[in-house]
Amino acid sequence: MKKKRVVAKEIYTLADLQNWHDVDRPIRLGVFGDPVEHSLSPQMQNAALKHCKIDMQYVRFHISPNELRDAIDLIRKMEFVGVNLTIPHKVAALELLDTPDENVKRVGAVNVIKVEGGKLRGFNTDGRGFARAIRDEFSVDLRDLRVMLLGAGGAARAIALQCAKENCERLVITNRSFEKAQKLADELRDFFAGPKVLGPVARLQAIPLEEGAIRFQIGHIDLVVNATPVGLNRGDPSPIPVRLLAPHVMVYDTIYSAERTPLVSAGIEAGARAANGLSMLLHQGALAFEIWFQREAPIEVMRRAML
Ligand code: NAP
């Protein structure tokens, strides 16, 4: 009987993984998400694979939360190189790993899995990707910055930890649920025990997501970062209004769904330098490539592929 061939698809599923012998492509990498259609990772990773003459492909997998365990079991058995995890799997995948690295444990989220000798190693490249993005966009290192972070979820936790590790000048965390901002600040307290202080303000603070509190802080801040999904949907407002921004701040929105997200537009209107999250996506992807292949990622090739 003639073997059934599955034609190249845009999005693969758990059923495809279960019938992998039917898939006629050298797919050894991918991204698990739900939804996953929007992911830009395939174009950037496939450009890198082609440039490095690695005969493999990277594809999107639509995997729902109740399919994650089976999907991860299958990539372990099928000698995948690894996968990226995106919404909503970054936290749930933690308990499925054999060896989470230190970042994964501290952040509580994993975005890169490497399959090695049948074992699953977990990494989180969001924080380092963010640090490289800030250097890329504004030619400045986190250690020289006073940062205000909006959000205390997975992305924010990775960013906050990176700011702490790089010994940034100040970190002010603000979040819709204030207790979560407070808890995150408490977890990072040890990193900020040093004497690097400027003026009357504390090096590490959690503040309510309120106009008065933000207005008070903004004069002591160099970089405002949005790590909430506010701005992702058409019609969303800026997560903080333009009147709270000022020309001296740099504005970074981790959202990359539009070149000018609401926060980026607000920043530009306020006379500030502003960038969206495409550069963070690029650098976290380049770091993932380096983890999988133990070689430098062709960053300019990957950057061009995302445009
Ligand atoms: P998450 O874990 O669900 O956290 C979401 C955070 O946003 C929470 O702190 C939440 O506050 C806050 N939030 C949600 N809706 C809000 C609203 N309407 N008003 C104010 N605050 C709100 O999500 P995540 O994984 O951290 O992702 C956050 C965003 O980061 C995503 O939208 C994505 O665009 C971006 N991201 C970008 C990259 C990149 O490479 N560029 C990588 C990762 C993530 P509560 O605690 O009060 O719920």
Side-chain angles (χ1 to χ4, degrees), residues 90 126 151-156 175-177 180 209 227-230 232 254-256 277 280-281 284:
K90 287 185 180 186
D126 280 342
N175 190 49
R176 182 174 60 179
S177 330
K180 254 167 84 180
L209 187 59
T228 78
V230 180
L232 205 52
T254 63
I255 292 174
Y256 53 84
M280 178 172 163
L281 184 76
Q284 63 77 32

Side-chain angles (χ1 to χ4, degrees), residues 77 83 121 129 143 147 177 208 236 241 277:
K77 284 184 192 131
V83 287
R121 296 178 63 196
R143 67 165 179 268
V147 181
S177 330
D236 273 359

Side-chain angles (χ1 to χ4, degrees), residues 7 18 25 27 29 31 35 56 66 74 77 80 85 111 127 133 173 182 185 195 200 211 286 303:
V7 265
Q18 286 161 337
R25 296 173 78 191
I27 297 165
L29 292 151
V31 52
M56 291 183 191
N66 64 349
L74 284 163
K77 284 184 192 131
F80 264 54
L85 300 163
N111 73 327
I173 304 168
Q182 187 76 64
E211 181 148 350
R303 192 194 304 272

Side-chain angles (χ1 to χ4, degrees), residues 38 40 229-234 236 253-262 276-278 281:
H38 65 280
L40 297 177
V230 180
L232 205 52
N233 297 315
R234 198 182 283 272
D236 273 359
D253 196 342
T254 63
I255 292 174
Y256 53 84
S257 56
E259 193 186 332
R260 286 201 174 187
T261 64
N276 77 2
L278 212 54
L281 184 76

Side-chain angles (χ1 to χ4, degrees), residues 184-253:
L184 179 53
D186 288 345
E187 286 176 40
L188 299 173
R189 196 71 59 196
D190 287 352
F191 287 96
F192 291 89
K196 200 173 176 177
V197 164
L198 345 97
V201 284
R203 281 194 68 200
L204 176 65
Q205 252 181 295
I207 62 166
L209 187 59
E210 287 167 7
E211 181 148 350
I214 294 174
R215 187 185 300 284
F216 175 79
Q217 292 290 341
I218 209 79
H220 306 283
I221 290 297
D222 308 303
L223 173 68
V224 174
V225 181
N226 177 33
T228 78
V230 180
L232 205 52
N233 297 315
R234 198 182 283 272
D236 273 359
S238 169
I240 59 171
V242 62
R243 61 181 175 277
L244 290 181
L245 297 169
H248 78 273
V249 293
M250 291 164 266
V251 172
Y252 192 80
D253 196 342

Side-chain angles (χ1 to χ4, degrees), residues 66-77:
N66 64 349
E67 295 173 333
L68 184 65
R69 181 178 289 274
D70 288 347
I72 285 189
D73 255 2
L74 284 163
I75 61 151
R76 182 206 297 269
K77 284 184 192 131

